[in-house]
Amino acid sequence: MSTKIQKMIHNYLEAWNQKNQNDFKKAFSKVLSENLKYTDPTFDVTGVDAIVNMALDSLEKFPGRKFEMLTEPEFHHNVGRYNWRMIFADGTFQNGFDCFEFTEDFFITRIIAFF
């Protein structure tokens, strides 16, 4: 397992745990390509700013929520997957998993999330 890929995904998931727009932007910009494509059951967006807006919206809807990794990423040929959990302020949670694509210099270009 490449520690660079593990770090990239850990940093991406930790970016979701920021608390304001500036911190979201700074954290996501470290791991996402500027033209990232993100798809989940409710969103289909492109770009870092769109992810920042999604994170802000998520935090507004679920104050105190936190993301954690459940499984280390598995990958081959610049694609991978991992499992995560969103823990709500009341202690309940929702599990999900992401499939991702990334560049040779370890920036995520595509995320397909399932939950």
Side-chain angles (χ1 to χ4, degrees), residues 16 38 40 43 45 49-59:
W16 281 93
Y38 175 96
D40 73 21
F43 289 97
V45 300
D49 289 337
I51 296 293
V52 168
N53 290 334
M54 284 177 46
L56 285 166
D57 186 53
S58 168
L59 194 56

Side-chain angles (χ1 to χ4, degrees), residues 16-32:
W16 281 93
N17 292 330
Q18 302 307 306
K19 303 296 183 209
N20 62 62
Q21 185 172 10
N22 289 336
D23 290 344
F24 281 127
K25 176 81 174 189
K26 182 178 177 182
F28 282 126
S29 293
K30 290 179 181 178
V31 294
L32 301 179

